[in-house]
Amino acid sequence: MKHAVELHEVDRRFRGVHALKSLSLTVEPGEVLGLLGHNGAGKSTMMKLVLGVLAPTSGRVTVLGEDPRGHNARNLRLQLGYLPENVSFYDNLSGREVLRYFSRLKRVPVRDADQLLERVGLGHAASRRVRTYSKGMRQRLGLAQALLGQPRLLLLDEPTVGLDPMAVRDVYGMIDSLRGSGTSVILCSHVLPGVERHIDRVAILCEGRLLASGTIDTLREEAGLPLRIHARGRGLNGALQARLDGHGVGFEPADAGSIRLTAPPSEKLQVLRALLEEPDLSDVTVEPPTLDSLYAHFDARGRNGGQPHA
Amino acid sequence: MREIFIVAEKEFRDGLRNRWILAITLAFALLAMGLAWFGAAASGEVGFTRISTTIVSLASLAVFLIPLIALMLAYDSIVGEDEQGTLLLLMTYPLSRTGLLAGKFLGHGAILALSTALGFGIAAVMIVMLAEQATFATLMGPFSLFIVSAILLGWTFLALAYLVSVVTREKARAAGLALLVWFLFVLVYDLALLGLLVGTEGRVDGGLFRTLLLLNPTDVFRLVNLTGFEETAAASGLLTVFGDASYSIGVLLGILAAWIVVPLTLAAGLFAARRT
C-alpha cells in the first residue's frame, strides 16, 4: 500500500450538478492534508467518496489499499474515523451512552469509549444527557466518536467550528499526536488562521476542481505573493526607497517611527540587507503570505477561469 | 447481524428513556379496564358483563389507537437521524442500511409488543381478580388472540412508518405523511367502502367486497377480534358482509404478517437505493 488515500481522475455528478471534475489526489500514511474550498466546492462530496458513502460516477477511489465500496468495505470502515460537519447526536442519551453505542457498532471495547471521553475533556459531563451539551461539547463528543478504535485514516469536517480557543488548541494538539502515531488525517476547513502549523499539505478545491495542492511552501512559491515586511526605526524613508528601486518593492504609508513594505519572495534577502544598512533600524518582522491569503489567491484564480487575479 | 441487535437495543433504551413504554402500557391498561367496566353502560349496566362485549369494544377503539401510536413511534426513525446528521455518520460504520432498518424495527417492535402485552395483560389479570363473572379460563383465549393481533397490527403500522420515514427528507413532512397514512387506513378506507356499498345500493359483488376489506390491515384486525361474537353486527356494520363466509384466524393473521413484510421490504429497498 503506497498511499493512504488515492483518488484517480474521479468524477461525481449529481442530477444536474457536476460536483467533482476529474479529481486526482493522494494522501500519504501519517500525513495531514488540509482540504480547503468554498461552500459547494466539493469537499464534502470528496469525503463521502473516501468514506464509501457515495460511489464515483467515474474514476477510482482507493482507501488504505481497498475499494471503499468493495466487498471488504466493512473491515475497512473499522479503520476509518469520521467527524461530520453538523452532528447533534441523540438528545435523550447521555454522552457516555452515545459513545458506547458507537463503540459497540465499531467493535471497540466499551472501556476505550470511556477513556476517550476523558481524553476529549468530557469526563465530567459523561452522564449528562446530550440535550444539555453546548455546541463545543457536542463537537468534542463527535471527535471522541471519530477517534474510536484508533483509526488509520481520520476525516474531520470543520472540527474546530464552535470551539473556544482552548478547545481549538486541544483539537490541533490531538491531530499532531495522531500524525505522530502514523494516522493520516484529512482536515476539511474554511477556518484558516492557526491551522498552518498542523498540516503537511494543502489541497484547494474550487467548483469541483483541484486548483492547487502541495506543501504550504510550494504553494507560496507557486502563488508568488509578496512578503510583508515591517521595519521600525526613525527616518527610514528617503534613502531606502532609492536603494530598493528596481527590486519590485512596494511602500505602504506608515507612521513616522516605522515603515511597511511588500516585496517579492525572491527579493527577501536584498530588502533585508538594505534595511540592515539603515543606521536607525531598531526592529524587523518578515511575514510570509498566510494560508488565508494563499487560499484567497488560488480561489480567485479558480473563479476567474484560471486567470490570476490582479 | 450483531449490529442489528446493537441498534435494536439502543432504540429500546430510547423507548424506556422517553417513557414511551410506560405511557403505552398505562394507556392500554386503563383503556381495557375502563371498557371492561363501562363497555355495557349503554345498556344500563356498569361493571364487567361479558368477555365478548369487552373484546368488541376494545378492538374497535384499539383499531384507532394502535396505528397512531406505532406511526408516532417510528415515523422519524430514518428522517430524524438524517436531520441530526447521525445517518451519514452511521453509514460510515460497518452497518448496512438494511441492517439499520432491521435494528430499528426490532427495537420499536419490542417496545410495542412489550407494552401491548403488558398493558392488556395487566388489564386481563385485574378483570379476573375484580369481577366474579370472569374466570381466567374464559378470558385467556380471546384476550391472547386480541393481544397477538394487536401486536401484529402495531408492527404493520411500524413498517408503514419506516416507509414514510425513508421517502421523506424532512421530519415535519414525515409527520404529515404519517398522519395521512393513519387517516387513509383507519378512516377513509372504510368510509369509501361504505360509500361504494351505499352508492351501488348493495349490488357489489360479495367476493370483491370481502377482498377489498381484507386488503386493509385495520379491517383484518377487526375481523380477527369481532367474528364469532354476536355483538359484531352492532359494533361494525361493514363486517356483516362476512356473516356467511368466515375466514380462519390463521389466514387473517397471515394477511397481517404480509402487511408487515411487504412495506418493510419496500422501505428497505427504497432506503438502499437512496443516494444519501
Side-chain angles (χ1 to χ4, degrees), chain A residues 109-246:
Chain A
V110 166
R111 214 178 39 248
D112 292 10
D114 294 349
Q115 279 170 3
L116 268 174
L117 271 180
E118 295 288 340
R119 191 166 153 205
V120 298
L122 280 178
H124 64 286
S127 43
R128 265 167 55 193
R129 290 196 188 191
V130 175
R131 185 191 303 282
T132 65
Y133 279 23
S134 68
K135 171 88 176 102
M137 290 165 84
R138 282 166 197 250
Q139 199 73 4
R140 284 166 186 262
L141 185 59
L143 197 65
Q145 169 278 131
L147 293 174
L148 282 170
Q150 294 165 330
R152 286 169 65 199
L153 173 66
L154 197 59
L155 292 103
L156 306 173
D157 204 346
E158 301 287 352
T160 56
V161 165
L163 294 186
D164 56 70
M166 284 303 287
V168 171
R169 232 183 51 181
D170 287 353
V171 169
Y172 286 151
M174 228 171 268
I175 292 173
D176 288 346
S177 70
L178 284 167
R179 171 165 60 172
S181 63
T183 305
S184 308
V185 183
I186 298 182
L187 183 69
C188 212
S189 177
H190 38 236
V191 185
L192 306 169
V195 80
E196 287 104 322
R197 276 174 291 127
H198 308 282
I199 55 184
D200 299 313
R201 228 151 45 85
V202 181
I204 299 176
L205 284 180
C206 180
E207 288 164 6
R209 273 175 299 119
L210 183 66
L211 287 183
S213 85
T215 62
I216 297 182
D217 286 337
T218 40
L219 289 191
R220 278 184 182 135
E221 231 163 81
E222 199 179 314
L225 289 180
L227 302 166
R228 306 180 70 82
I229 299 170
H230 186 201
R232 268 204 290 227
R234 274 176 300 108
L236 281 178
N237 226 332
L240 188 66
Q241 207 154 353
R243 208 176 301 160
L244 287 174
D245 197 33

Side-chain angles (χ1 to χ4, degrees), chain A residues 36-43 190 192 203-212 219 223 225 291-309:
Chain A
L36 310 179
H38 56 85
N39 289 326
K43 293 180 306 225
H190 38 236
L192 306 169
I204 299 176
L205 284 180
C206 180
E207 288 164 6
R209 273 175 299 119
L210 183 66
L211 287 183
L219 289 191
L225 289 180
L291 188 53
D292 214 347
S293 52
L294 280 174
Y295 171 65
H297 169 83
F298 282 107
D299 191 59
R301 198 169 80 172
R303 283 168 199 263
N304 290 332
Q307 293 305 305
H309 207 55

Side-chain angles (χ1 to χ4, degrees), chain A residues 47-115:
Chain A
M47 285 208 165
K48 285 179 189 170
L49 288 170
V50 172
L51 288 162
V53 176
L54 284 178
T57 309
S58 68
R60 196 179 69 239
V61 182
T62 316
V63 177
L64 302 174
E66 309 251 9
D67 174 4
R69 291 177 71 82
H71 62 278
N72 203 19
R74 267 170 179 264
N75 286 324
L76 177 64
R77 284 174 179 195
L78 294 175
Q79 304 174 48
L80 303 185
Y82 174 49
L83 172 66
E85 188 178 357
N86 294 308
V87 63
S88 53
F89 293 114
Y90 307 106
D91 277 347
N92 274 323
L93 299 184
S94 70
R96 185 183 290 120
E97 283 170 325
V98 167
L99 203 58
R100 284 184 174 180
Y101 173 52
F102 284 105
S103 73
R104 277 194 287 268
L105 283 176
K106 218 167 186 175
R107 298 169 211 169
V108 171
V110 166
R111 214 178 39 248
D112 292 10
D114 294 349
Q115 279 170 3

